[in-house]
Amino acid sequence: MKKILKFSYVTILAGMFLTISCTKESLQEEPVNLAANAKSVKTTKLTGGVKKLLIIGIDGCRGDALMGANTPNVHGLLSNSVYSLDALTESPTWSGNGWSTMLSGVTHLKHKVTDNSFLTPNFTTYPSFLKRLETYNSTLKTMSIVHWAPINTYIVDGIDVEKTLTTDLAVKNEVVNALTNDNPDALFMHFDDVDHAGHSYGFSLNVPQYKASIETTDAYIGEILTALKNRPNYANEDWLVIIAPDHGGIVTGSSGSHGGSSYEERNIFTIFNNKNFTANKIEKAADVTTSITGSFANFNSNAIYASTNNALYNFGTSSFTIECRVKTSGYTSDPSLVSNKNWASGKNRGFVISANTGGSWKVNIGDTQNRVDISGGVIKDGKWHHLTLVVDRAAKLVKTYQDGVFVGQATIINGFGSLTSGLPFAIGQDGTLAYPANVNGNIAEVRVWNKALSEAAILNYTCSSITSSHPDYANLIGYWKGNTGSGNVFIDSSSNAISIPFANNPTWVSSTASLKCGSTAETVVPKMVDIAYSSLEWFGVPINSAWSLDGRSWLPAAN
């Protein structure tokens, strides 16, 4: 989908924005008392010289492919870089969301861009870091030279130069010219051809066309770095060079795609390079797995499900958390795992955790007029997976976790109504008890809480059973382990003791399979929001708490 949208943008806008430049605008942001320090960044030589910044954005470039291809110019930066191949962007992994997040330093929950349509962006409150630099010091020369037109059309404004070109070659030539004949202080640039190749042939090092596009881009980067180092005053300049994509991608048949929440789509790389940096590779924590052994009900037909009409599991407008484990090697369509709604439409009242097409899973809530949907990663692999849905009414958020690790979140709009469907709470079916698809596998460890659990509470008990020592045990209102090995009842291990009968006697199967227990990877690797934050810090801009930036800095302490 992105490929079509992106190409249409270029087709429509290329002629209009071929060589656009903008004069400085009168900014509407509060100056936050920075005027007294405004000149220091431009005129004072700090460690290594006058601070300068070049950000090279490579649309849709997977880190494993970048490292595996013949890319000597990028590889040559790593000996003086803080870098990570395990960095993460936000979902949904559309370019509109990715570049908006990178440039503004906040997630889509604030900048409001979730796809490539830019229907209701909020860059007035959360502008690009380039605009914040101009507010801080209007003498700084700020530039944005891009291939994908919407970056300059929607995200970037209020800076000195905006240029949108129609090819990566033209972008490279324009950047080389700017570094040779102009004096940029902060230059953001964007390559697009790697993403084009990914959409056309697949996002993988094993795809020759994708690999070749990455290698061509690396050659362009080499020319840009040469132009930078040949600047007459280079010896007195202190350049921070950042390289990152907006998202990863997957192979789908003979082509590729992105836009979902899978790790392969969210995984990006970040490179923070400076001549004074010492190499520091930031890696995610190792995954921890455990082996799950037991005898579990086999949900191998539409008629195998357990349900109860207890009103305790209709949540109205209250917060709640649903957890379950699933092990499956096959299914069709989008069968419900745990639900209390009519899954024929996502707008119907209630919630659902379901399998999803392509071997993944998703969650949905609806109130008849509105719906929220979040997609998860792959579950159709014969392994156990722990899935979590959190509905936090106080924070107005829906969050999802897979195997204890955060997957994605979405906003619950003001006025989102009751989720009380009046239908049964069901395991292995939707609330109608008649949905025409089944998961063909095992469902266990179904947990229902009448509060929004914290990330720590989810992670710490992903691979553990729930006991009275759990910090939120008083909020556990249903707990069906599903490992009794026989019978036609799901026994409730919570204090409510609401055991749920099966509609038909299930077959119980003994099995052993692995379950990933999560890791702290989400908190120890760079995120897309960190790039704007690090860029502002590079120039010594005091980060105003009123900006509500979501990132952190990855620059060495002495920069």
Side-chain angles (χ1 to χ4, degrees):
M1 292 176 68
K2 175 192 163 187
K3 178 182 173 185
I4 297 173
L5 281 171
K6 179 174 283 188
F7 287 171
S8 66
Y9 272 128
V10 172
T11 302
I12 294 169
L13 298 172
M16 186 182 302
F17 294 98
L18 184 59
T19 53
I20 293 179
S21 63
C22 294
T23 59
K24 288 186 175 66
E25 298 175 0
S26 175
L27 305 184
Q28 301 302 312
E29 298 179 13
E30 184 180 348
V32 298
N33 298 321
L34 298 179
N37 298 322
K39 302 298 182 183
S40 62
V41 172
K42 186 68 178 289
T43 59
T44 302
K45 290 184 181 180
L46 303 178
T47 304
V50 177
K51 297 294 187 182
K52 301 275 189 177
L53 171 69
L54 170 65
I55 298 182
I56 302 174
I58 312 177
D59 207 304
C61 184
R62 287 181 55 136
D64 56 352
L66 180 72
M67 292 296 104
N70 181 22
T71 51
N73 295 297
V74 171
H75 274 81
L77 297 174
L78 301 184
S79 60
N80 293 104
S81 294
V82 177
Y83 69 101
S84 177
L85 302 178
D86 298 322
L88 293 167
T89 190
E90 293 289 321
S91 63
T93 52
W94 293 83
S95 283
N97 184 16
W99 297 120
S100 297
T101 299
M102 176 189 286
L103 288 161
S104 68
V106 300
T107 72
H108 66 84
L109 297 176
K110 295 174 182 174
H111 62 62
K112 301 300 182 183
V113 178
T114 57
D115 54 27
N116 293 352
S117 65
F118 293 88
L119 291 178
T120 57
N122 189 15
F123 298 120
T124 300
T125 304
Y126 304 103
S128 74
F129 81 89
L130 292 168
K131 189 172 184 177
R132 293 198 189 278
L133 282 178
E134 285 286 349
T135 305
Y136 178 70
N137 181 359
S138 62
T139 68
L140 290 172
K141 185 67 173 288
T142 51
M143 306 179 72
S144 175
I145 302 172
V146 304
H147 186 167
W148 195 45
I151 293 173
N152 284 344
T153 305
Y154 297 108
I155 306 171
V156 174
D157 74 320
I159 69 172
D160 293 312
V161 176
E162 297 177 31
K163 292 187 178 182
T164 302
L165 291 308
T166 58
T167 67
D168 277 7
L169 176 61
V171 168
K172 181 266 295 182
N173 289 338
E174 190 63 37
V175 171
V176 168
N177 178 66
L179 292 171
T180 303
N181 300 311
D182 206 339
N183 189 29
D185 292 291
L187 194 166
F188 171 80
M189 59 159 298
H190 165 270
F191 288 130
D192 210 13
D193 285 349
V194 172
D195 188 63
H196 293 175
H199 279 287
S200 296
Y201 305 104
F203 293 83
S204 171
L205 177 64
N206 298 322
V207 175
Q209 298 90 337
Y210 186 68
K211 179 182 177 183
S213 183
I214 291 173
E215 291 173 350
T216 297
T217 301
D218 181 75
Y220 290 165
I221 291 173
E223 293 185 52
I224 290 168
L225 295 176
T226 296
L228 186 151
K229 293 176 182 177
N230 286 340
R231 288 171 54 79
N233 201 36
Y234 178 73
N236 298 315
E237 297 173 343
D238 193 13
W239 282 90
L240 173 65
V241 178
I242 301 175
I243 307 179
D246 55 334
H247 55 73
I250 57 177
V251 177
T252 53
S254 60
S255 60
S257 66
H258 60 85
S261 302
S262 69
Y263 180 78
E264 291 77 9
E265 294 166 278
R266 291 187 62 212
N267 179 214
I268 60 171
F269 64 89
T270 54
I271 299 172
F272 298 88
N273 169 267
N274 176 265
K275 60 188 177 184
N276 297 312
F277 289 179
T278 300
N280 182 12
K281 185 178 183 181
I282 309 298
E283 298 182 275
K284 67 179 181 179
D287 291 327
V288 178
T289 61
T290 191
S291 182
I292 304 295
T293 299
S295 184
F296 305 94
N298 192 13
F299 292 80
N300 60 351
S301 79
N302 297 342
I304 302 300
Y305 61 86
S307 66
T308 175
N309 283 304
N310 197 303
L312 193 63
Y313 309 119
N314 278 288
F315 297 101
T317 57
S318 299
S319 298
F320 63 93
T321 300
I322 309 290
E323 300 178 272
C324 71
R325 290 180 190 166
V326 60
K327 180 171 74 70
T328 177
S329 296
Y331 57 86
T332 58
S333 188
D334 54 352
S336 171
L337 303 176
V338 183
S339 179
N340 72 342
K341 72 181 294 174
N342 180 346
W343 188 211
S345 170
K347 285 188 176 181
N348 289 335
R349 287 194 196 278
F351 70 85
V352 63
I353 300 177
S354 80
N356 198 14
T357 54
S360 62
W361 66 288
K362 70 179 296 182
V363 302
N364 162 273
I365 64 170
D367 69 349
T368 73
Q369 300 301 313
N370 309 286
R371 62 186 291 172
V372 174
D373 303 86
I374 303 177
S375 299
V378 172
I379 60 171
K380 192 172 70 173
D381 56 8
K383 301 176 182 179
W384 282 104
H385 291 283
H386 191 98
L387 313 180
T388 306
L389 160 66
V390 178
V391 175
D392 188 338
R393 289 285 193 161
K396 298 182 180 179
L397 291 175
V398 175
K399 296 183 179 181
T400 55
Y401 299 81
Q402 179 169 338
D403 302 327
V405 174
F406 175 76
V407 170
Q409 61 187 7
T411 303
I412 302 173
I413 65 171
N414 289 331
F416 201 103
S418 171
L419 301 184
T420 297
S421 67
L423 297 175
F425 171 88
I427 301 171
Q429 258 293 347
D430 74 349
T432 68
L433 310 181
Y435 198 71
N438 67 282
V439 74
N440 192 19
N442 309 127
I443 304 172
E445 283 291 318
V446 179
R447 310 165 182 176
V448 182
W449 311 79
N450 61 5
K451 70 171 294 185
L453 291 187
S454 68
E455 185 166 328
I458 295 166
L459 175 62
N460 292 339
Y461 286 85
T462 292
C463 286
S464 303
S465 297
I466 303 299
T467 67
S468 58
S469 63
H470 190 287
D472 303 298
Y473 187 75
N475 299 99
L476 183 66
I477 60 175
Y479 179 28
W480 301 273
K481 295 182 179 181
N483 61 352
T484 54
S486 63
N488 64 346
V489 174
F490 251 14
I491 297 174
D492 184 9
S493 297
S494 78
S495 59
N496 288 321
I498 303 173
S499 293
I500 303 178
F502 280 90
N504 296 280
N505 291 334
T507 300
W508 295 78
V509 295
S510 296
S511 69
T512 298
S514 64
L515 168 65
K516 188 184 293 186
C517 300
S519 72
T520 56
E522 289 280 329
T523 59
V524 300
V525 297
K527 310 287 180 27
M528 181 67 82
V529 289
D530 299 337
I531 291 175
Y533 196 106
S534 299
S535 298
L536 290 168
E537 185 186 73
W538 180 249
F539 285 98
V541 178
I543 306 298
N544 186 350
S545 61
W547 297 345
S548 299
L549 299 186
D550 293 320
R552 53 158 289 185
S553 174
W554 286 92
L555 305 183
N559 56 67

